[in-house]
Amino acid sequence: MSNASSLVVHQLCFKLANDHVLFDHLSISFPASKTGLVGRNGCGKSTLVKLLIGALTIHSGVIQAAGSIAYVPQIPDLDHVKTVADFFDCAEKLSAWERIKAGSSDLHDYQLLDEDWQLAERLQYSLTQFGLQAVAASRLLSSLSGGELTRLALAKAFGSAADFLILDEPSNHLDSDARKQLLGAIQQWPAGLILVSHDRQLLNQMACIVELTSLGAILYGGNYDFYHEQKAIEHQARTLQVGDAKKALQQARLSVQTTREKHSHKAAQGREKRNNGSMDLLMANSKRGRSERSLKKMLIKEQRMITNATMDLTLAKSQCEIIDSLTLNLPKTFVPQGKILLLIEQLCFSYSAKPLIDNFSLCLQGSTRIALTGANGCGKSSLLKLIIGELTTSSGSITLGTERICYLDQRLSLLDKGSSLLANYLRLNPQATEFEAYHNLAQFLFKNVNALKYVKDLSGGEKLRALLACVLMAKHPPQLLILDEPTNHLDIASIESIESALTAYQGAMLVVSHDTVFLKNIGIEQRIAAPFIGH
């Protein structure tokens, strides 16, 4: 690893295929430490990463990379890779090592191994670091789950001797245990690292944060919490600057109006004196000439004042990123404190001979908020589907204490993707008027014509926000809200909007999520960890 490793972007320009300018003379330097790269979905984070590694060609500008780079994309490209050993580029050497261990004296085997006697040990260590110790080097990649493939890509990258690691949304497909393993690997990584993520727990391990916005790239020297505080301070200061510039423009216009009124009043007095003969013609013409010259100078001065004040306001606005935030007034969801909304007694369920859920019991009362946590495949989503009746229990019972239950699955299937937001709202709330639909969607930042957007054209965060508008702004909102991985693939701004909506909601919640910060922010009171056996 090189001590002088760095990544420098200077005056970078890049256009998308539709000629949309994504980066216009972008400049940023990534230090040889741990850096979080954040920004709203669509701002170009993944594109910038691909430019950094040379997977895309810049239109102009310079990218200087001193040192080697290991890259983990959101979805690893494994089309031409068959086994774990192939993925680690060591299949031939590993086969030679196995033959030598078995007693081979073939010179070709020794040449292939090239005295790399620790190869198998290093590979096993890399796999173990991400909980893949039971995965054999000969294992076919086609037999691995999405989460296992992500962990495999991370194991290879962290096992490299690269000067920079670039990780693009590495925690998207990871469960709680795998996230802890990733967290530990990041903490121990000794070289440069760029992390593109919406996982605030991971971002708090960074030494600095680079934010991509419509204004460019800005470096903040600190972790995510520090960056978040600084952003709030900056936004407040720039909002005040815009307010001051608006006041200055108003004052300039008022000053111009007052000056003109005074000039008009004096001109009217002069005309009156000239007309009634109290001033001789020579003096009157002289005063009129001076008045016209004075008016000309005044108009030039006024124009300069207005222009300068307008330019100051334009500059202040250009430096102030527009950030919409939710300010909600949700309908009240009254749930009596002792009311049992969900009662599960000795529940058993299995897809095969081995039980997935065994003798599990749970009582959810009042406005309690419970999170279901645990590894992928341990039965969390299955438990939710049993509760709403999509799956049938093997034994035991599930009793619902209210009809006002809403289940938001990962695909947000309550929304009709081919219809507008307005049409979806009216379909899900048939008693609502069109005016009420517009008003309620506007509270969730879908104002005016934005309510006519089609669901299929929205980002993941916008879809979830739209569905929450349809559900939480109903005349009779649900008393129990069931959510399955609601923050997957959302940017931080979208997650914070969802947190704001769920914090304002007064009912009970049952949530499946690996995002510990999200669970804390929405007021989760109890966590139940899988496996769901005999609780």
Side-chain angles (χ1 to χ4, degrees):
M1 298 181 185
S2 169
N3 291 329
S5 58
S6 64
L7 280 172
V8 178
V9 177
H10 181 66
Q11 296 291 301
L12 171 66
C13 295
F14 182 78
K15 291 182 181 180
L16 300 176
N18 60 3
D19 282 339
H20 171 69
V21 177
L22 188 60
F23 301 127
D24 186 15
H25 295 91
L26 178 72
S27 294
I28 190 70
S29 178
F30 292 94
S33 58
K34 298 180 178 71
T35 303
L37 181 59
V38 302
R40 293 174 181 266
N41 284 347
C43 71
K45 300 186 297 295
S46 293
T47 301
L48 178 58
V49 163
K50 289 176 183 177
L51 289 164
L52 290 175
I53 65 170
L56 292 175
T57 304
I58 63 176
H59 294 140
S60 65
V62 177
I63 294 178
Q64 296 175 329
S68 58
I69 298 174
Y71 168 57
V72 179
Q74 290 188 36
I75 303 174
D77 182 9
L78 305 172
D79 289 346
H80 306 293
V81 184
K82 292 183 178 179
T83 68
V84 170
D86 291 327
F87 181 70
F88 277 82
D89 304 315
C90 65
E92 284 192 346
K93 289 179 75 171
L94 203 58
S95 295
W97 164 240
E98 293 293 339
R99 289 192 294 270
I100 290 171
K101 273 204 311 179
S104 171
S105 58
D106 190 331
L107 178 61
H108 182 60
D109 285 338
Y110 285 87
Q111 289 173 335
L112 279 174
L113 187 59
D114 193 25
E115 297 190 2
D116 191 0
W117 304 107
Q118 306 300 318
L119 171 63
E121 188 177 325
R122 287 201 316 276
L123 177 59
Q124 187 60 34
Y125 175 80
S126 294
L127 293 173
T128 301
Q129 191 178 18
F130 284 90
L132 298 170
Q133 58 271 17
V135 176
S138 58
R139 178 88 172 263
L140 292 174
L141 296 190
S142 58
S143 69
L144 299 178
S145 68
E148 287 173 323
L149 291 173
T150 299
R151 283 188 283 162
L152 196 68
L154 290 168
K156 180 180 179 181
F158 278 95
S160 72
D163 296 291
F164 261 95
L165 287 190
I166 300 181
L167 312 178
D168 192 358
E169 299 286 5
S171 61
N172 273 0
H173 300 285
L174 301 183
D175 58 28
S176 300
D177 290 340
R179 287 185 183 212
K180 289 177 183 176
Q181 292 157 355
L182 174 58
L183 184 66
I186 287 175
Q187 289 170 337
Q188 295 173 21
W189 180 250
L193 182 145
I194 297 175
L195 171 70
V196 180
S197 182
H198 62 256
D199 189 321
R200 290 162 289 186
Q201 187 179 22
L202 292 181
L203 289 169
N204 267 333
Q205 303 303 313
M206 301 296 105
C208 56
I209 300 291
V210 170
E211 183 191 29
L212 275 185
T213 73
S214 57
L215 306 176
I218 307 170
L219 177 68
Y220 294 83
N223 64 9
Y224 180 81
D225 284 345
F226 175 82
Y227 148 79
H228 196 265
E229 290 173 6
Q230 289 298 114
K231 279 287 291 182
I233 293 169
E234 287 178 7
H235 182 66
Q236 184 178 16
R238 285 173 178 163
T239 301
L240 289 173
Q241 286 177 351
V242 171
D244 290 343
K246 285 181 177 178
K247 288 179 183 177
L249 180 57
Q250 290 172 348
Q251 288 172 352
R253 286 173 173 163
L254 181 60
S255 176
V256 166
Q257 182 181 350
T258 302
T259 304
R260 288 188 178 185
E261 287 175 354
K262 287 180 179 179
H263 184 275
S264 297
H265 180 66
K266 286 183 179 180
Q269 286 180 327
R271 284 194 299 272
E272 185 179 351
K273 288 180 180 179
R274 190 168 55 250
N275 291 336
N276 63 22
S278 60
M279 183 185 298
D280 63 70
L281 187 59
L282 184 62
M283 183 175 287
N285 288 336
S286 175
K287 283 199 171 189
R288 184 168 62 182
R290 287 199 302 272
S291 176
E292 289 173 351
R293 289 192 296 272
S294 174
L295 176 61
K296 187 175 180 180
K297 289 180 181 179
M298 184 188 71
L299 290 174
I300 294 172
K301 182 180 179 181
E302 288 175 353
Q303 187 58 49
R304 189 181 298 119
M305 285 175 61
I306 298 294
T307 299
N308 290 342
T310 303
M311 288 175 62
D312 288 344
L313 177 57
T314 302
L315 178 62
K317 284 183 175 180
S318 71
Q319 295 175 339
C320 187
E321 186 185 8
I322 298 173
I323 301 175
D324 289 327
S325 57
L326 296 181
T327 52
L328 298 173
N329 182 23
L330 298 183
K332 293 189 183 299
T333 307
F334 179 70
V335 184
Q337 191 60 34
K339 180 180 176 65
I340 296 177
L341 298 179
L342 171 65
L343 181 63
I344 301 175
E345 296 180 291
Q346 299 180 327
L347 176 67
C348 296
F349 176 79
S350 65
Y351 290 105
S352 58
K354 184 180 179 180
L356 185 65
I357 301 170
D358 189 23
N359 197 32
F360 175 74
S361 298
L362 171 67
C363 181
L364 193 159
Q365 293 178 280
S367 56
T368 304
R369 301 186 171 200
I370 297 175
L372 303 177
T373 64
N376 289 340
C378 66
K380 301 185 299 296
S381 293
S382 296
L383 179 55
L384 298 188
K385 291 177 181 178
L386 286 163
I387 291 170
I388 64 169
E390 282 190 12
L391 294 175
T392 304
T393 64
S394 302
S395 64
S397 65
I398 297 175
T399 305
L400 300 176
T402 178
E403 294 181 354
R404 289 163 56 188
I405 294 177
C406 184
Y407 169 56
L408 276 58
D409 61 16
Q410 293 185 37
R411 295 176 290 109
L412 304 179
S413 52
L414 278 178
L415 289 173
D416 178 2
K417 308 298 189 293
S419 299
S420 68
L421 295 182
L422 181 66
N424 270 280
Y425 189 96
L426 294 172
R427 176 177 58 82
L428 294 171
N429 298 281
Q431 295 179 336
T433 66
E434 191 169 293
F435 174 80
E436 289 171 335
Y438 271 109
H439 177 268
N440 293 338
L441 287 168
Q443 284 209 53
F444 280 75
L445 306 181
F446 298 106
K447 300 175 182 177
N448 303 321
V449 295
N450 287 324
L452 301 178
K453 284 184 175 180
Y454 278 75
V455 172
K456 62 183 176 64
D457 297 326
L458 301 179
S459 68
E462 288 174 324
K463 287 175 184 175
L464 181 52
R465 181 156 39 94
L467 184 50
L468 287 175
C470 295
V471 170
L472 301 185
M473 296 302 295
K475 185 176 182 180
H476 300 292
Q479 291 185 322
L480 173 60
L481 194 59
I482 300 176
L483 303 160
D484 192 359
E485 294 287 5
T487 62
N488 268 8
H489 308 293
L490 302 190
D491 59 34
I492 295 175
S494 296
I495 294 173
E496 289 176 346
S497 290
I498 303 310
E499 288 173 349
S500 177
L502 294 178
T503 300
Y505 169 64
Q506 298 174 353
M509 279 195 283
L510 187 62
V511 185
V512 170
S513 178
H514 300 298
D515 189 333
T516 55
V517 178
F518 170 75
L519 293 176
K520 177 184 176 183
N521 289 348
I522 63 171
I524 291 296
E525 302 161 82
Q526 181 182 355
R527 300 190 189 199
I528 299 175
F532 304 117
I533 298 174
H535 279 278

